[in-house]
Amino acid sequence: MVAKPNRQESHVSNPVKRIRWATQRVTGSNERHIRQSIKDRFQHRKAGSTDKKRQSGETPHLGGIQEESESSEAGDIPEPSGRRIYFNIPLPDSAKDSDGRPFAHYERNKIRTAKYTPLSFVPKNLWFQFHNVANIYFLFVILLGIYWIFGNPNPALSAVPLIVILFLTAVKDAIEDWRRTVLDNELNNAPTHRLADWNNVNTSEESISLWRRTKKATTHTIISTYEKWSSKRNQKSAGGKGYAQRALDESRPSAETRQSHRASVFSIQSDGDEDEGIRMTPVPSPQPGRDHHLGNDTLAVDGRPTTSFSFDDEDRAQSANGQLTAPGAYDSELARAPAKFRGSIMDPLKQTPGKARFTRSYWKSVQVGDFVRLYNDDQIPADIVVLSTSDPDGQCYVETKNLDGETNLKVRQALHCGRKMKHARDCEKASFIIESEAPNANLYQYSGVARWTQRDARKTEGPGTEMAEPISINNLLLRGCSLRNTEWVLGVVVYTGRETKIMLNSGITPSKRSRIARDLNWYVIYNFVVLFFMCLVSGIVQGVTWAKSRTSSDFFEYGSIGGNPPLDGFITFWSSVILFQNLVPISLYISLEIIRLAQAFFIYSDTYMYYDRIDYPCTPKSWNISDDLGQIEYIFSDKTGTLTQNVMEFKKCTINGVPYGEAYTEAQAGMQRRQGVDVEAEGAKAHKQIAEDRVKMLRDLRKMHANPYLHDDELTFVAPDFVADLAGVSGTEQKIANEEFMLALALCHTVITERTPGDPPKLEFKAQSPDEAALVATARDCGFTVMGRSNDGIILNVLGREKEFTVLNTLEFNSSRKRMSAIIRMPNGKIILYCKGADSVIYSRLRPGEQPQLRRLTGEHLEMFAREGLRTLCIACKELNEEEYQAWNKEHDLAAAAIVDREDKLEAVSDAIERDLTLLGGTAIEDRLQDGVPDAIALLGDAGIKLWVLTGDKVETAINIGFSCNLLTNDMDLIVFKVDDEKMESAEAELDKHLDEFGLQGNDEELAIARKDHRAPKPTHAIVIDGDALKLVLDDQVRQKFLLLCKQCKSVLCCRVSPSQKAAVVRMVKDGLDVMTLSIGDGANDVAMIQEADVGVGIAGEEGRQAVMSSDYAIGQFRFLQRLVLVHGRWSYRRLAETIANFFYKNIVWTFALFWYQIYNNFDVTYLFDYTYILLVNVAFTSLPVIFMGILDQDVSDKVSLAVPQLYRRGIERKEWTSLKFWTYMLDGIYQSVMCYYMGHLLFAAATFNTSNGLTVNDRARIGVYIACATIVVVNTYVLMNMYRWDWLFMLLVAFSILLIWFWTGVYTAFSSSLQFYKAAPQVFGQLSFWAMVLLTAAVCLLPRFAAKAYQKLYRPRDIDIIREQVAQGKFKYLDRYEAYMPPAKLPSATPSEVSDPAKPEQRGGKALADDERPIYPPSVANTGTTHNARSQNGSDGTEYTGHRFSLDQPARPSFDRPRPSYDRMRDSMDRVRPSFEASNDFTSAALLTRLESSHSGTPTRRTLHGSSSLR
């Protein structure tokens, strides 16, 4: 921005536009000094982080700051290694090949998360399916059976089961991948606007191969066919679609069809020129020579129309030598130096054809080097460097909710050298090069340089001046973000497709297989080994038999097939493979696919996981890992948008030592619940009081001022006493304090005001932080309304009177400053600095020796607010005199002009002015958790699941949320892990120190023990670590120690972590501890950890769709996770484990019955059973009971599963599917096969079995009917015994399966085509011996299993057995009174070995259960989250802990002279709990804050706990 003449009086300084941190443009000075300064600095440049921390005692030295320009000679800026992108400059020969094409090949912007294409689906899917060992085996058996020599009666019929399995699995995979393909196409075909009819030298015409053209044609054909079919179906169907369906077939609105209903402050343009700026409708830009109506008699410069934000001052300021001069004489002696000339990438001497225009295109067509024009609300199609925006300061605002789930706006800046560009013809005139770093996954850093030759329009000859401007992350728009509150942005593309930062963090879509599926291959291999020995025995015996001479075979056989014994044995071996093929259960795989499909359908249909706000059910996207949901031990969760709503609500404040505000937070309810308070009654009482106070406050506010912007439903700050004090009830002093406090909230911010027309109009605030929006909204509700911004100030409506306040400087918040300040010139001419920030930071900057009583009271109030889980800030101010401000402002301008270490210099300058402050008060804001998050976390913790929070937020924010959702409690020792010097040795020493507290060393033996220990850690410690320290501890050298330390902590919070670090943490735990992991998030920055975990869950809320696209399950709210895991996950795991075991069992019984028969025919591979029996045994006779066991079997109901979450621990310990269980079922099957065969064998051993008509039934086929029918009865009854749920459906299925073999035998043998089997049914079924043998065989086979189960349930009952008995006794009948089970208040358990009592929810008006009806809970091997703590009286959170009130020694008392229910309620609670660990690490502690007297940059020396740093 060019300096303007000062039009105020000499004693009033020139107002400066608000400063965007690290992007301020400042005035310049002598060029020679600038150039020399830059050269000197680059010679001594040091590598370091932009957020470099200063030592606590360091005093900033301002005098050493030298002036530097942001755009300087090209040789002064180092070249980043990576890529060079040319714009309207021919490629040098070194960048071209022999054909003149560029060497560099960049990724296409088209992305694909789907695994298949229409052409690759069949071969690729078959390739994946034949990774199953059983599929390969059965393909081999089918090929083997083609040869008649191996005795397969019907080879074609043998292939049917495998074909069916492959087909059904392929259909399931196709449906899954089709959904991903539809979402990919929607994204790739999203509209954008790119420059056409110009030459992008960075890319060449792509030659599309025949194969690719074929693929594209096939894909287009299939998609067009599907769309036509869908359109016809939609025409027939009536009614609207749900959200889930619309997400698949609804395209994104384009810029032409979208209308804006709100007007930002930047959207107001003058009426003088119809072609001003860039129009919102993307029509072709005006061509040169077209007549323009120029308002106010202004002339066009270089054929470019002027806009309402004219650059004419800057143009006129450029002198002939290319330098900037003052546009006019200054009247004030305080006038600032003229602005520096930063150059322009547009070449005024360049002749262009003028044909270029912006056209509507697609995301997939965007290429590196393209000029792209974006409009308000557009999504960013690639990583783009901003050249110019509709804002005169070059600012634009982006929303990153698709990236990180946050809805607050981020500010990005255009390059200074490109801000004159507005039209397509300007893009033709631009000639420059961007030197960019290579693509990398760091979302928070970018390094590049724009280089160009600056030419003077007055000098047509001469080489021009080489110039350059650095490009940082503040100039880069990332793919997936959305443009907000900005009419248009013009930029150039530097990264596309998989090279964009967000895609580099996403990784490829993995192919996940469940743990049971991975283990299943091993058990199939065990069956192969058994099968091999069975076939080997058959081959050896058969070969030896044919080798013998003088046997009966010499008289009855006509020779062997092989002709010699060895060959006979070889043929018999492979024939046995066909005969015993059922030992390897191919039907198991198709059954598992059917079961998982049904489980996915039940999950999708669960109405208790349906989020009606966005019409979204729980959507399974991967159907084959539902059993993994029942074995989850670690959950990794994002915070923003996942645990929280990212909605900040102003709840309380303290002003001049007086607390205001009524609130009843979830954290407060959780603390009272742990104290044994009836939270439902207390909550109802509090909410009633709040409702009454709200009515009173609204009435009083409207009496004071008829505020048209006050909306009743948006009021979050409920404090009628504040309104009374604002009216002067408590005196003038308090009234002035309240007014000053609200002015500070209304002035100290960077909020943008959006006005929605209406009666009354509605104001909406867009802020970089939702905290800021909440503060400004509260000021609006109280009558201090931010109406908008003028060119150099803020317009406020103060209790009905509009006033304009000039913003001189804005010193914005960053992670090292932890505060923000605004320097304001008041209407009376005074200069006031308002500062808000972390309480400890503000207290350390207060004027020493002043306001001791106010400090103490404010500290107490802030501590109480923090105990309620509220985010606290302190507000302070300082009056500046004119000379002090002017001297400081010069230093600030120099720091803002620095290219090197700009952030550090600005921080030092800001620290100098932010001292000797006067305390005004403090605020308390609630980051609203999603509904039910604390209860869901508590329930998951009771189930033995450990929850880690991985977030990009700052440490103090994460800790606040940790307390709010009960991840952290007051009784925990909080380990804040920081490594200040960023050295590996320091990190290892810190780890060793903390491990020593647990008696650990971090060696391999301890890790082996930890892998076997699935118990929840004791709730005594929690660890918080930031991204810088995490980068060190994830190194191979110390990773194991860090893992073991975290294993000992109840909660782990990782803050300021990148997406790749999130994935690395998940990988560390998953591989290091060999546990099942689940990751849940809602933003694109969560995709990496979602894909890394065994199960990935995406929140399909209102934030974005990136996480959902890459997840395995999509849910609407975090609270649904408890039902997904504890109910559906546990059911799925137990059902599948039991199903697989029963499958192996039934195949063993059937196959070994055939094997025992071979003993008596010399293993010649004769079929005891008819071949149709062998084909139908797994398809029809035994399939239904075992399949429906996997689909519908239920040990306890969903309500009981949630009431007793400890039942889930059996899945964590993987006790439902073990090697012992597998071999137990195998041995049981072998025993029963012996009984099934030999009961029939012994029946016919006498060889005197004749029927009444004299015919025998002792031939092979009829004996097979005896044995086969008995075997089917035994197998199906055995499956029924292993079911928990015996209802009419299961009984019907078992009876149907048993009767089916009788039916088939009767029908099949009624036809003569059955040959030797003809009339076998009436002959066998008419024998009394048949029925007697079937009943006797079933009894003999099942008796051992029945006895074992009876002993186990009577003398060694499991948790589930006791709970089922209690259900039968009616002790859980109270759950039937609720439509859906809601987690009740937890009660502490008596001993560590007991499952904690899931207390009955409070019944309003209901009758309490009698003692004999209360559930009795079973023993459990795992400790609970509420196990006894030696430091606590109740084993939970130390509510009876003594000796802890170090700053609040006075007893509970009514506050001041009027009732303040919320204040007194919280104070009473505080008197019963020990102080939290908020005493350190920027958390409120009244005793600590009262000791902070320093007004310097450093803070007082104090003892820090567990590696925490100083207050700064």
Side-chain angles (χ1 to χ4, degrees), residues 338-358:
K340 295 194 192 83
F341 173 63
R342 298 182 178 87
S344 173
I345 56 177
M346 287 196 300
D347 186 352
L349 305 179
K350 186 179 181 66
Q351 299 297 321
T352 61
K355 296 181 179 179
R357 68 188 188 281
F358 282 100

Side-chain angles (χ1 to χ4, degrees), residues 608-678:
Y608 296 126
M609 292 193 294
Y610 171 74
Y611 190 35
D612 55 356
R613 183 172 179 180
I614 60 170
D615 186 22
Y616 201 90
C618 177
T619 306
K621 295 180 171 290
S622 296
W623 299 350
N624 59 341
I625 59 173
S626 58
D627 47 293
D628 280 352
L629 286 171
Q631 306 170 70
I632 301 300
E633 185 170 354
Y634 283 85
I635 292 178
F636 300 90
S637 174
D638 180 37
K639 182 193 73 70
T640 305
T642 303
L643 296 177
T644 69
Q645 302 177 29
N646 200 29
V647 175
M648 306 295 179
E649 293 186 352
F650 189 108
K651 292 296 185 182
K652 297 186 177 185
C653 66
T654 173
I655 305 173
N656 195 32
V658 180
Y660 297 106
E662 297 294 326
Y664 189 73
T665 65
E666 290 185 330
Q668 184 178 356
M671 183 166 60
Q672 290 181 341
R673 181 185 295 121
R674 296 192 297 271
Q675 296 168 0
V677 176
D678 184 350

Side-chain angles (χ1 to χ4, degrees), residues 20-36:
R20 293 294 171 189
W21 192 259
T23 57
Q24 168 67 3
R25 293 146 310 186
V26 296
T27 57
S29 183
N30 187 280
E31 181 189 24
R32 182 179 58 190
H33 293 163
I34 298 172
R35 192 172 304 164
Q36 185 62 41

Side-chain angles (χ1 to χ4, degrees), residues 673 934-947 966 1014-1016 1019 1050 1122 1126 1201-1210 1212 1359 1381 1383-1389 1394-1399 1420 1422-1427 1436:
R673 181 185 295 121
D935 287 331
I937 290 176
L939 206 64
L940 293 171
D942 289 342
I945 298 174
K946 298 85 176 174
L947 179 67
N966 295 332
H1014 299 284
R1015 293 175 299 175
K1050 178 68 175 176
Q1122 65 182 9
L1126 301 184
S1201 296
L1202 292 172
V1204 192
Q1206 290 81 4
L1207 294 174
Y1208 186 84
R1209 292 178 181 171
R1210 192 166 175 82
I1212 293 177
D1359 291 355
Y1381 172 77
K1386 294 192 301 181
L1387 294 180
S1389 57
E1394 292 179 356
V1395 176
S1396 61
D1397 185 26
S1420 175
N1423 291 335
T1424 71
T1426 54
T1427 6
S1436 176

Side-chain angles (χ1 to χ4, degrees), residues 991-1003:
L991 286 171
D992 290 337
K993 180 182 72 172
H994 294 304
L995 283 172
D996 187 60
E997 297 177 11
F998 298 98
L1000 300 176
Q1001 298 178 350
N1003 52 41

Side-chain angles (χ1 to χ4, degrees), residues 414-449:
L415 297 180
H416 296 288
C417 58
R419 294 185 182 180
K420 293 183 181 180
M421 299 178 61
K422 292 187 302 208
H423 298 296
R425 61 179 175 276
D426 296 336
C427 299
E428 288 185 295
K429 284 184 172 291
S431 299
F432 63 104
I433 300 172
I434 288 183
E435 295 172 352
S436 171
E437 65 182 2
N440 62 75
N442 192 330
L443 291 171
Y444 308 109
Q445 288 185 355
Y446 175 76
S447 177
V449 177

Side-chain angles (χ1 to χ4, degrees), residues 84 228 271 339 352 397 412 547 623 631 790 806 852 933 971 1057 1122 1211 1238 1244 1309 1376 1394 1396 1412 1460 1485:
R84 292 170 66 93
K228 290 179 181 178
D271 301 326
T352 61
Y397 300 86
R412 294 294 180 262
W623 299 350
Q631 306 170 70
S790 60
T806 303
V933 165
D971 205 34
V1057 291
Q1122 65 182 9
Y1238 279 100
F1244 291 96
T1309 61
D1376 297 335
E1394 292 179 356
S1396 61
D1412 59 346
R1460 302 176 189 268
S1485 172

Side-chain angles (χ1 to χ4, degrees), residues 715-787:
L715 180 67
T716 62
F717 176 51
V718 179
D721 48 345
F722 169 82
V723 182
D725 289 349
L726 189 62
V729 173
S730 297
T732 306
E733 180 184 355
Q734 190 63 31
K735 176 182 178 180
I736 295 175
N738 287 4
E739 290 177 348
E740 189 75 10
F741 185 85
M742 284 299 159
L743 272 179
L745 298 186
L747 294 173
C748 185
H749 60 81
T750 58
V751 168
I752 304 167
T753 304
E754 279 192 352
R755 184 192 302 266
T756 302
D759 188 18
K762 184 176 182 180
L763 294 180
E764 189 171 340
F765 302 114
K766 296 293 184 180
Q768 295 191 60
S769 165
D771 301 70
E772 271 197 333
L775 295 174
V776 176
T778 297
R780 173 202 62 197
D781 295 341
C782 293
F784 296 76
T785 306
V786 179
M787 304 299 297

